[in-house]
């Protein structure tokens, strides 16, 4: 079993075959993830259908076949364009709804297509293709707001000759767009490849520019109302010479990672550039660029929106490594007294038990520096107040040594042991006595 992700490298399924899920998206249903995408083969410009892969860890994927096959409807014939499939699960009907970009060979149709299945593996039955509100639709995405009590779902599609993005709510059965006029966003900005995500009640959308199969700069937008005004956050890509062209890729989906608050997977396609005339016939050789998209909450009033967003290039990474990096950052923030960073990292799920220099945990650093505010945050984040460093000292001993009376009193109140001894058999009170901190000795009596 693999544990690591290697962005931009060939990715094989559990049978050893190259994964074919281009322009796709992820559905999480029950205890599994389902990855849908364009199934491409050599020397053919169009996909042969929509593939589906299943995984429990987002790294090791089993090919489950074609969820939607070509044919059976003129709109999915062999010469028609079928791209960017996305699947939603409708909690009211129990159906799985697949949306896709359907187009004529010259991209003149500019439609969305809808297919339905009773299971996530399919087979999906194609229903129809249409233009939402009689408007062009090329690159698009659909997205479900899991925080909404009604599980409302939305669509964003590049329209008006790819000059403006349209955003609309889907009907309750997810098989059509609402009757209201769509929200027009990024007017005359030529944006495509949209991908929604949400954090702390704020909506975000990753987009690319329009440059055919060639990569360009990523731009992320945000809004407090999904059907309201959208503002640019700029390009969050860092850490590589290719950061100005989205690491030579184009976004297709952003997945929230359960159990990792503020951590998302930015999913993109690195399209193969081998072309035969005007048609790219080697899309099957395109690679996937999956990277951590990390959001960090900032204090209200310091920026608008109050979040920091970053997509950093990594040659190799794992979900475990991201958690370890956050936990190390928490330890360093506590060491340097950076209250807001500590608050954001605790909220993002960083572990306060990471061991830094000399085996110190974050609460030990904060206690020794008299930062009662940070100590409280760490305790709220389930920090172990009786953890020991390499010398056997606890946070209480570090606070007693440094003469931090308020921290000592607080730690005792939340269960720090007064009787614990370090490797030399010394308690916190003994340490305070040696340092001449009479008030602490009295507090520990």
């Amino acid at each position: 079993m693999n544990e690591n992700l290697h962005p931009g490298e060939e990715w094989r399924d559990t049978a050893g075959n190259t994964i074919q899920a281009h322009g796709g998206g992820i559905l999480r249903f029950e205890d599994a993830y389902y990855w849908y995408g364009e199934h491409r083969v050599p020397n053919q410009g169009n996909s042969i259908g929509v593939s589906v892969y299943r995984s429990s860890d987002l790294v090791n994927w089993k090919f489950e076949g074609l969820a939607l096959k070509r044919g059976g409807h003129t709109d999915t014939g062999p010469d028609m364009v079928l791209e960017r499939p996305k699947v939603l699960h409708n909690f009211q009907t129990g159906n799985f709804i697949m949306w896709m970009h359907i187009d004529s060979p010259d991209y003149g149709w500019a439609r969305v297509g809808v297919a339905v299945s009773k299971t996530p593996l399919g087979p999906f039955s194609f229903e129809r293709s249409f233009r939402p509100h009689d408007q062009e639709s090329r690159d698009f995405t659909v997205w479900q707001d899991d925080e909404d009590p009604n599980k409302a779902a939305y669509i964003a599609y590049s329209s008006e000759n790819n000059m403006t993005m349209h955003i609309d709510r889907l009907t309750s059965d997810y098989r059509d767009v609402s009757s209201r006029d769509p929200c027009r966003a990024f007017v005359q900005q030529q944006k495509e490849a949209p991908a929604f995500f949400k954090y702390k009640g704020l909506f975000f959308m990753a987009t690319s520019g329009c440059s055919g199969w060639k990569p360009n700069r990523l731009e992320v937008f945000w809004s407090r109302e999904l059907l309201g005004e959208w503002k640019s956050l700029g390009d969050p890509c860092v850490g590589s010479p290719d950061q100005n062209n989205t690491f030579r890729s184009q976004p297709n989906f952003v997945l929230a990672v359960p159990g990792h608050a503020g951590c998302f997977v930015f999913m993109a396609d690195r399209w193969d550039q081998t072309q035969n005339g005007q048609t790219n016939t080697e899309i099957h050789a395109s690679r996937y660029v999956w990277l951590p998209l990390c959001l960090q909450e900032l204090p209200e009033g310091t920026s608008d929106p109050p979040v920091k967003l970053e997509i950093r290039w990594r040659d190799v990474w794992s979900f475990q490594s991201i958690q370890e990096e956050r936990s190390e950052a928490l330890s360093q923030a506590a060491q340097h007294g950076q209250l807001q960073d500590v608050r954001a990292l605790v909220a993002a799920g960083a572990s306060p038990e990471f061991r830094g220099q000399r085996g110190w945990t974050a609460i030990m650093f904060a206690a020794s520096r008299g930062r009662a505010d940070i100590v409280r945050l760490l305790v709220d984040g389930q920090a172990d107040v009786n953890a020991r460093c390499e010398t056997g000292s606890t946070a209480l001993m570090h606070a007693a040594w440094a003469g931090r009376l308020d921290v000592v009193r607080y730690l005792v109140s939340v269960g720090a042991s007064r009787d614990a001894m370090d490797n030399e058999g010394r308690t916190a009170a003994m340490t305070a006595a040696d340092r001449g901190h009479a008030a602490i000795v009295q507090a520990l009596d």
Side-chain angles (χ1 to χ4, degrees):
M1 297 285 285
N2 296 321
E3 295 182 357
N4 296 326
L5 293 163
H6 301 266
E9 296 187 13
E10 184 180 20
W11 199 344
R12 295 182 179 271
D13 62 21
T14 54
N17 300 311
T18 302
I19 292 177
Q20 294 293 327
H22 308 285
I26 303 286
L27 170 71
R28 186 169 186 257
F29 178 66
E30 295 181 344
D31 295 327
Y33 297 94
Y34 297 85
W35 183 5
Y36 303 88
E38 305 160 22
H39 194 101
R40 301 280 184 163
V41 295
N43 302 313
Q44 187 167 328
N46 291 328
S47 64
I48 64 171
V50 177
S51 56
V52 56
Y53 295 81
R54 179 162 50 182
S55 174
S56 61
D57 60 12
L58 294 171
V59 180
N60 299 278
W61 293 93
K62 179 185 177 184
F63 179 55
E64 297 287 0
L66 292 179
L68 177 68
K69 296 181 179 179
R70 290 277 190 173
H73 196 289
T74 56
D75 292 359
T76 60
D79 295 328
M80 300 298 290
V81 172
L82 192 164
E83 297 176 338
R84 295 185 169 270
K86 307 289 186 290
V87 174
L88 301 173
H89 176 233
N90 189 289
F91 291 86
Q92 295 183 28
T93 66
N95 290 328
F96 296 85
I97 314 298
M98 179 185 293
W99 287 69
M100 69 211 82
H101 172 202
I102 294 291
D103 224 319
S104 54
D106 63 357
Y107 283 86
W109 269 28
R111 297 181 178 183
V112 291
V114 177
V116 181
S117 173
K118 290 293 185 182
T119 73
L121 298 179
F124 282 78
S125 176
F126 187 85
E127 292 191 329
R128 64 179 179 131
S129 72
F130 64 100
R131 284 187 169 187
H133 302 288
D134 295 323
Q135 298 291 317
E136 292 178 330
S137 174
R138 293 187 174 88
D139 277 14
F140 87 104
T141 193
V142 289
W143 176 77
Q144 182 184 73
D145 187 354
D146 290 331
E147 297 178 7
D148 184 283
N150 299 316
K151 305 296 183 185
Y154 299 84
I155 183 172
Y157 53 97
S158 187
S159 193
E160 302 178 34
N161 199 29
N162 285 6
M163 297 299 294
T164 300
M165 191 72 67
H166 286 193
I167 308 171
D168 197 3
R169 183 167 176 162
L170 300 184
T171 54
S172 60
D173 62 2
Y174 299 173
R175 293 160 91 158
D176 202 348
V177 294
S178 70
S179 59
R180 58 162 288 164
D181 291 334
C183 165
R184 296 174 72 241
F186 328 139
V187 178
Q188 297 294 305
Q189 294 187 45
Q190 286 192 302
K191 295 297 178 183
E192 62 178 11
F196 283 118
F197 55 105
K198 186 178 183 181
Y199 179 68
K200 297 293 184 181
L202 302 176
F203 299 94
F204 298 85
M205 191 195 305
T207 68
S208 77
C210 297
S211 55
W213 298 104
K214 296 180 180 179
N216 53 61
R217 183 185 290 272
L218 182 71
E219 188 170 9
V220 175
F221 295 83
W222 74 279
S223 178
R224 296 187 185 278
E225 300 289 340
L226 194 140
L227 297 175
E229 180 185 5
W230 289 80
K231 300 178 182 179
S232 177
L233 272 176
D235 180 1
C237 297
V238 296
S240 165
D242 292 320
Q243 66 191 43
N244 292 330
N245 63 7
T246 321
F247 312 115
R248 292 186 288 128
S249 69
Q250 184 183 40
N252 58 51
F253 200 77
V254 176
L255 174 69
V257 182
H260 295 262
C263 185
F264 299 77
V265 181
F266 172 76
M267 299 167 51
D269 294 282
R270 181 174 287 175
W271 300 116
D272 185 85
Q273 296 297 303
T274 304
Q275 295 188 3
N276 178 11
Q278 297 299 313
T279 302
N280 189 334
T281 59
E282 303 301 322
I283 299 178
H284 74 282
S286 300
R287 301 290 181 250
Y288 311 101
V289 174
W290 286 22
L291 290 165
L293 185 159
C294 296
L295 284 153
Q296 182 173 322
E297 189 175 8
L298 301 175
E300 285 288 347
T302 58
S303 68
D304 196 19
V307 295
K308 176 184 177 182
L309 189 155
E310 180 181 277
I311 304 173
R312 179 171 294 277
W313 175 260
R314 302 160 194 268
D315 293 328
V316 59
W317 65 280
S318 68
F319 292 103
Q320 179 63 30
S321 69
I322 297 303
Q323 188 66 14
E324 290 173 354
E325 288 178 16
R326 285 185 163 187
S327 300
E328 182 178 6
L330 175 61
S331 177
Q332 293 175 349
Q335 181 177 359
H336 297 292
Q338 297 165 335
L339 176 63
Q340 301 303 336
D341 287 345
V342 169
R343 178 178 286 112
L345 288 163
V346 168
S351 171
E353 302 312 313
F354 176 85
R355 300 282 175 166
Q357 301 172 20
R358 304 183 303 280
W360 285 37
T361 61
I363 198 169
M364 296 175 192
F365 285 119
S368 69
R369 285 156 178 75
R371 292 301 302 266
D373 49 356
I374 292 179
V375 170
R376 287 186 173 87
L377 276 175
L378 294 169
V379 169
D380 290 342
Q382 306 303 309
D384 181 0
V385 295
N386 289 309
R388 298 171 181 270
C389 65
E390 292 176 358
T391 62
S393 298
T394 63
L396 182 63
M397 295 176 193
H398 290 299
W401 184 91
R404 311 298 188 180
L405 178 60
D406 56 339
V407 175
V408 166
R409 286 174 171 164
Y410 174 73
L411 287 170
V412 170
S413 74
V414 294
S417 173
R418 309 181 197 203
D419 300 325
M421 297 182 181
D422 64 16
N423 296 347
E424 296 180 356
R426 304 178 64 76
T427 63
M430 294 177 186
T431 300
D434 287 346
R435 299 283 295 175
H437 301 313
I440 291 179
V441 174
Q442 184 176 3
L444 292 171
D445 186 9

